[in-house]
Amino acid sequence: MSANHFIHSKTQEQAQRVVLLLAAGAICIPLISLLPDSVSLKDGDFLLNFRCHQNGLLRPEEWSNWCLEFVHNQLYENFCQMGAIWSNRPFDSLAQGVKFHSKEHTDRNF
């Protein structure tokens, strides 16, 4: 299967550029630990919202969910010439089949 089957791109060349940048280590994706801003239930699925909370009093690495901004900025910088679009809130997500670690974790949120 070609890279185009896994990467949404307009051309095979764009997909290959993504693969080359990732393979070359041009994009650093750190070990990521995230906390959702909100958790809700909609039509039987959990809706998890993730946002980076910028705080001018702290170093960026100390912001809640700082890695979202870090990864987003790198992706945009590397792919803006290929049509990547800047987004102020790029990581609102819908996750299906989310399970909590325990009943205690579930009760804490609902």
Side-chain angles (χ1 to χ4, degrees):
M1 239 180 236
S2 73
N4 225 12
H5 290 123
F6 300 101
I7 299 169
H8 181 70
S9 62
K10 294 180 181 176
T11 67
Q12 182 66 30
E13 291 77 27
Q14 285 182 342
Q16 190 60 34
R17 176 155 166 73
V18 172
V19 170
L20 291 173
L21 284 168
L22 291 171
I27 298 171
C28 176
I29 300 176
L31 178 62
I32 294 176
S33 177
L34 300 173
L35 291 173
D37 282 318
S38 65
V39 180
S40 57
L41 190 62
K42 180 179 179 181
D43 299 327
D45 286 322
F46 285 105
L47 178 64
L48 304 176
N49 290 305
F50 297 96
R51 292 197 175 87
C52 175
H53 298 279
Q54 298 179 2
N55 181 338
L57 301 175
L58 300 173
R59 296 187 338 242
E61 301 83 33
E62 297 173 337
W63 297 346
S64 172
N65 295 336
W66 71 272
C67 49
L68 294 175
E69 291 283 329
F70 181 74
V71 171
H72 175 263
N73 292 344
Q74 289 184 87
L75 294 173
Y76 179 75
E77 288 169 11
N78 280 281
F79 302 119
C80 64
Q81 293 178 348
M82 294 170 48
I85 299 170
W86 180 264
S87 176
N88 288 329
R89 297 204 172 177
F91 292 100
D92 286 348
S93 302
L94 174 67
Q96 296 179 357
V98 173
K99 295 186 186 335
F100 287 94
H101 287 287
S102 68
K103 183 172 180 348
E104 177 185 316
H105 286 93
T106 304
D107 292 344
R108 208 181 304 159
N109 290 285
F110 291 97

